[in-house]
Amino acid sequence: MMYPTRDETALWVALNLTQRKIYAAIDAALKTAGLPPLRWYDVLWELERAKDCGARAFELEAKLLFQQSNLSRLLQRMISGGLVEEFVFENDRRGKVIRITEKGSAVRKEMWEVYGPLIHKYMSKVPDPHELTNATAALTKIV
Amino acid sequence: MMYPTRDETALWVALNLTQRKIYAAIDAALKTAGLPPLRWYDVLWELERAKDCGARAFELEAKLLFQQSNLSRLLQRMISGGLVEEFVFENDRRGKVIRITEKGSAVRKEMWEVYGPLIHKYMSKVPDPHELTNATAALTKIV
DNA sequence: GACATATAGATGCATTTGCATCTACTATCT
DNA sequence: AGATAGTAGATGCAAATGCATCTATATGTC
């Protein structure tokens, strides 16, 4: 129960402004390109890495920090868009296994063509590699 | 038009996860305490700093990265909650001047009692002051 | 096996967001 | 002055979100 120092607050403020600003810019660029919102990318990428094994909804939820009901409905939208498929998980029939489709992979790649360069555009404003990894290390400590 | 390096991507991912996680934690704590959502704090704080001069909606929008219509409606909610007042800006009768009320100040203070310690809790996980300010400097460069 | 408890995910409903206007006023140009 | 374009903020409407609850299955206890 102690209040933050000026520098602690400054980091928190910078963290918010930076994230918010870049996130909005990327999301807008995706929209302009006629592609799905940025949050879809996280799911597609996670599923791509999971390959044929797929992933469970609750895993995505934890790893990508989704709220359960939001993820549930996002997956419904992705399924109706044909980007993702779901199957009953036979070892536990409450659960579903989620897998990316061919179309989902293709869309992810298209998204990356917009997303990747923008990540680079912003992150390369920290040109010194050490500064970059130090910043990452600091943020990682926090969580 | 160039793709990001691994380290650039790592920073972007860390930035997102850290922000999202802490933000959610703080917002949840405020809700538990029966206080308004975190985003209200930004507005209240900005108005508190503006003192009696108040602030224009479009200034808040730019500084706090709000979307225009969202801020407009947030201010409506804050007005009906009595935390904030608005007046016609006489030099330009399209505009409004927004000012914090006594009650708004009081609520901001209450929020800070929850918010402040949580900022400290998380940010103090980067104990070295240099690392902290370096991280802030890096993030600031990005924007 | 019967019963309580826990977990995976879906869903109803109220609130919030995003987008596209729309209104009111201001500034500029001729 | 009159017409034109620009800016501040509001608003209607569709979509997304958060919350609480619900259903179905699993697990653990007796």
Side-chain angles (χ1 to χ4, degrees):
Chain A
M1 269 304 288
M2 200 189 132
Y3 290 95
T5 65
R6 190 173 291 289
D7 288 345
E8 285 169 355
T9 305
L11 178 54
W12 171 237
V13 170
L15 190 52
N16 276 285
L17 288 180
T18 309
Q19 194 274 346
R20 220 183 273 284
K21 189 157 185 181
I22 300 177
Y23 193 95
I26 295 174
D27 226 12
L30 288 169
K31 174 158 296 184
T32 300
L35 291 166
L38 183 43
R39 211 70 213 289
W40 291 40
Y41 188 89
D42 299 344
V43 174
L44 290 173
W45 176 240
E46 205 54 39
L47 292 175
E48 188 114 58
R49 297 203 311 172
K51 302 279 295 170
D52 295 329
C53 307
R56 301 292 304 276
F58 71 93
E59 295 170 337
L60 298 172
E61 192 189 321
K63 192 174 293 193
L64 304 176
L65 303 181
F66 270 98
Q67 190 162 307
Q68 187 266 320
S69 64
N70 287 348
L71 178 59
S72 174
R73 279 191 256 244
L74 174 54
L75 289 173
Q76 289 168 23
R77 275 172 251 146
M78 295 178 79
I79 288 166
S80 43
L83 305 188
V84 141
E85 291 174 311
E86 81 182 356
F87 305 90
V88 174
F89 178 54
E90 288 301 340
N91 292 1
D92 177 347
R93 300 182 51 77
R94 288 171 302 186
K96 306 286 177 65
V97 180
I98 318 290
R99 263 185 231 122
I100 193 169
T101 62
E102 281 301 319
K103 181 174 177 192
S105 278
V107 169
R108 191 201 65 77
K109 280 190 194 67
E110 277 188 274
M111 291 179 79
W112 182 244
E113 282 165 31
V114 175
Y115 187 16
L118 283 172
I119 296 176
H120 175 65
K121 170 180 165 189
Y122 288 104
M123 296 303 131
S124 63
K125 300 216 172 133
V126 183
D128 174 11
H130 276 83
E131 195 177 1
L132 197 76
T133 52
N134 284 343
T136 307
L139 294 183
T140 306
K141 273 182 204 162
I142 293 176
V143 185
Chain B
M1 272 303 289
M2 199 188 135
Y3 289 95
T5 64
R6 190 173 292 288
D7 287 345
E8 284 170 356
T9 305
L11 177 54
W12 172 237
V13 170
L15 191 51
N16 276 285
L17 288 181
T18 308
Q19 193 274 346
R20 221 184 271 285
K21 190 157 183 181
I22 298 176
Y23 194 94
I26 295 174
D27 227 10
L30 287 170
K31 174 158 296 184
T32 302
L35 291 166
L38 184 42
R39 212 70 215 289
W40 291 38
Y41 189 89
D42 299 345
V43 174
L44 290 174
W45 176 238
E46 206 54 41
L47 292 176
E48 187 114 58
R49 296 203 311 172
K51 302 280 295 171
D52 295 330
C53 307
R56 302 291 303 277
F58 71 93
E59 294 170 337
L60 297 172
E61 193 188 322
K63 191 173 292 193
L64 304 176
L65 304 181
F66 270 97
Q67 191 163 310
Q68 187 267 317
S69 63
N70 287 348
L71 177 59
S72 174
R73 279 192 256 244
L74 174 53
L75 289 174
Q76 288 168 22
R77 274 172 252 145
M78 294 178 79
I79 289 165
S80 42
L83 305 188
V84 142
E85 290 174 313
E86 81 182 357
F87 306 90
V88 174
F89 178 54
E90 289 301 338
N91 293 359
D92 176 348
R93 300 183 52 75
R94 289 172 301 187
K96 307 287 177 66
V97 180
I98 318 290
R99 262 185 232 122
I100 193 169
T101 63
E102 280 303 316
K103 181 173 174 191
S105 277
V107 169
R108 191 200 66 76
K109 280 189 193 70
E110 275 188 276
M111 291 180 79
W112 181 244
E113 282 165 31
V114 174
Y115 187 15
L118 283 172
I119 296 177
H120 175 65
K121 171 181 163 187
Y122 289 104
M123 296 304 132
S124 64
K125 299 219 173 129
V126 183
D128 175 13
H130 277 84
E131 195 177 2
L132 197 77
T133 53
N134 285 342
T136 307
L139 294 183
T140 305
K141 274 182 205 163
I142 293 176
V143 186

